[in-house]
Amino acid sequence: YRAKALGGGHLTYQPEMSAGLAERMQIAENLSRAMNTGELELYYQPKIRLATGTVSGAEALLRWNDPECGLISPAKFIPIAEARGMIGTLGKWVLREACRQMKAWQELGLQFPGRLAINLSAQQFEETGVADNIQEIVRAAGLTPACFELELTESALMGNVQRAIEVMHTLKRAGFALSIDDFGTGYSSLAYLKRLPVDTLKIDISFVRDMLTVRHDYNIVTTITGMARSFGLRSIAEGVEESAQAEALLALGCDEAQGYYFGRPEPAHVFAQRWL
Ligand code: C2E
Ligand code: MG
Ligand code: MG
Ligand code: MG
């Protein structure tokens, strides 16, 4: 009977499948609770200018500490939140919490360097009124868009390209910086890139990881930094774990880097102690 409920009778019953579904349903249920019980937290990871070694900003990364399951990765629960129509609520929680933290640092007299980057999921970006909602949350917190950068993946831009471009222009005009996350893993063509009002390309971690050992990956990193330069955009490498990677990236003209070599994502107070 489960197989029928799942796939209209075309699937055969598989225990792993139903376990997966049960787990997903459990996660979805717990997630709506988690937003109100302090189980969600933003961690902060610095972004570093390669030429000077100074901090250029930070990225807010969502963490969920479930009392039963322990730490659950956003890579696991964000797709579930998207599938269950919860990403709008979750995305607003993230932005409000980022604003609250930014305000709290300001009130402590701490100077946040550059912009704080927020990840927007593809589905969140596709919701009606997304640009207004984002601006309203920032305004209500008594902050300006100049405090923030918004990270979008290529998939967020592919659905309705014309609309995506309009929303991005609205956000740009309001004062947000925009970047394309995981760049190189999607399908954005050069023709689109030319029309997108973005500031930064974030080179996906999968290319950076083996760039010093896999020629093909090194060539991709070279191409993306070169492409960014020729479009007048900045480039930032994700997942830098060793000094040799940082040196190679600097030599390629990559502007910034982010990764465990410089600093891991950390809770707000730890981040502030080390970087603010
Ligand atoms: P992302 O935005 O591409 O974030 C980069 C991921 O790489 C983060 O994983 C970060 O912790 C990890 N990372 C950073 N430096 C290194 C390194 O040197 N080595 C390795 N191996 N990993 C490194 P995380 O925090 O697990 O987040 C995974 C993804 O979940 C993010 O990828 C983003 O797509 C999504 N995500 C996280 N927070 C949010 C959020 O608030 N909203 C939305 N919509 N998505 C989020
Ligand atoms: Mg990101
Ligand atoms: Mg990324
Ligand atoms: Mg990623």
Side-chain angles (χ1 to χ4, degrees):
Y1 70 97
R2 256 183 208 281
K4 206 161 197 160
L6 272 173
H10 295 293
L11 295 170
T12 45
Y13 178 76
Q14 289 175 316
E16 324 80 81
M17 193 185 279
S18 76
L21 179 69
E23 194 194 359
R24 289 167 64 86
M25 288 178 68
Q26 189 65 53
I27 286 179
E29 199 177 299
N30 293 351
L31 184 55
S32 46
R33 182 203 64 211
M35 281 182 255
N36 304 309
T37 52
E39 291 167 35
L40 295 185
E41 185 176 4
L42 291 183
Y43 275 37
Y44 299 85
Q45 185 180 37
K47 300 185 179 190
I48 308 293
R49 290 184 199 90
L50 282 164
T52 58
T54 53
V55 187
S56 63
E59 177 174 6
L61 293 157
L62 188 55
R63 295 290 177 265
W64 178 12
N65 203 354
D66 183 283
E68 288 152 42
C69 311
L71 207 61
I72 307 176
S73 162
K76 186 167 193 177
F77 67 82
I78 292 212
I80 297 177
E82 287 196 301
R84 315 255 325 173
M86 299 163 67
I87 195 69
T89 316
L90 187 61
K92 282 180 190 143
W93 184 91
V94 168
L95 192 56
R96 284 200 191 98
E97 172 59 16
C99 287
R100 189 200 59 75
Q101 187 59 67
M102 198 66 155
K103 202 71 188 162
W105 281 329
Q106 284 184 359
E107 280 160 11
L108 285 169
L110 298 173
Q111 178 72 39
F112 188 90
R115 295 175 185 254
L116 176 59
I118 310 289
N119 290 284
L120 297 187
S121 88
Q123 197 173 312
Q124 184 184 357
F125 186 72
E126 279 158 19
E127 283 189 355
T128 346
V130 63
D132 288 342
N133 292 339
I134 291 172
Q135 291 181 79
E136 177 50 27
I137 290 173
V138 169
R139 197 201 55 76
L143 295 166
T144 65
C147 300
F148 298 100
E149 172 177 342
L150 304 172
E151 298 191 3
L152 299 157
T153 57
E154 289 165 272
S155 55
L157 315 174
M158 295 328 296
N160 181 343
V161 178
Q162 195 46 50
R163 175 195 174 269
I165 292 174
E166 280 163 23
V167 174
M168 290 174 83
H169 274 293
T170 305
L171 292 166
K172 267 299 277 186
R173 270 198 306 272
F176 293 96
L178 301 175
S179 55
I180 305 186
D181 206 346
D182 305 341
F183 190 80
T185 60
Y187 300 94
S188 53
S189 73
L190 289 173
Y192 290 147
L193 195 53
K194 194 181 70 177
R195 297 168 59 205
L196 296 178
V198 295
D199 304 277
T200 307
L201 303 182
K202 296 195 76 178
I203 307 169
D204 191 62
I205 197 164
S206 64
F207 307 123
V208 177
R209 188 188 303 125
D210 301 320
M211 65 176 284
L212 297 180
T213 48
V214 180
R215 174 115 216 143
H216 190 69
D217 288 339
Y218 182 84
N219 292 343
I220 291 174
V221 173
T222 307
T223 303
I224 298 176
T225 49
M227 200 190 284
R229 199 176 311 119
S230 61
F231 278 98
L233 309 176
R234 302 182 65 75
S235 54
I236 174 164
E238 304 185 310
V240 174
E241 296 189 358
E242 311 157 11
S243 63
Q245 289 167 323
E247 279 158 31
L249 287 159
L250 176 63
L252 288 175
C254 183
D255 299 294
E256 295 168 39
Q258 202 180 342
Y260 298 167
Y261 173 65
F262 298 104
R264 289 181 178 256
E266 287 167 324
H269 67 280
V270 182
F271 175 84
Q273 221 159 41
R274 179 150 175 218
W275 301 101
L276 301 187

